[in-house]
């Protein structure tokens, strides 16, 4: 089965983040090794992070995933 890495440049639990996490969860249930990386803002609500952990998805850290496009960050 394939390895899948989802990159999500947001830290809020919204409609799009919920769909992305649901997709990752479904892929994992289908036998893929799934990891997810997402942005995090200091002092922000960690609901997204809790939802990822609750679904048994592995989080990958070390990426700089901003909510908005930042050419200087590349």
């Amino acid at each position: 089965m394939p390895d899948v890495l989802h990159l999500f440049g947001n830290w809020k639990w919204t409609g799009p983040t919920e769909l992305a996490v649901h997709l990752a969860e479904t892929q994992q249930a289908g036998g893929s090794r799934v990891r997810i990386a997402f942005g995090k803002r200091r002092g922000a609500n960690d609901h997204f992070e809790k939802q990822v952990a609750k679904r048994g998805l592995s989080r990958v850290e070390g990426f700089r995933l901003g909510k908005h496009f930042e050419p200087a960050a590349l």
Side-chain angles (χ1 to χ4, degrees):
M1 291 313 252
D3 286 347
V4 179
L5 173 62
H6 288 272
L7 302 173
F8 206 84
N10 201 340
W11 49 268
K12 292 181 182 179
W13 185 251
T14 63
T17 52
E18 185 173 2
L19 292 174
V21 170
H22 180 68
L23 173 62
E25 182 180 27
T26 302
Q27 290 171 318
Q28 183 168 275
S32 296
R33 188 177 117 176
V34 178
R35 293 175 290 166
I36 189 166
F38 53 89
K40 186 163 182 171
R41 193 173 98 188
R42 242 181 274 216
N45 183 326
D46 62 352
H47 191 68
F48 190 139
E49 192 168 2
K50 287 178 182 175
Q51 291 298 321
V52 167
K54 177 180 170 181
R55 288 166 169 79
L57 297 168
S58 297
R59 178 177 180 199
V60 177
E61 297 188 45
F63 289 97
R64 182 175 176 185
L65 298 171
K67 184 177 174 183
H68 301 286
F69 180 66
E70 299 175 41
L74 298 175

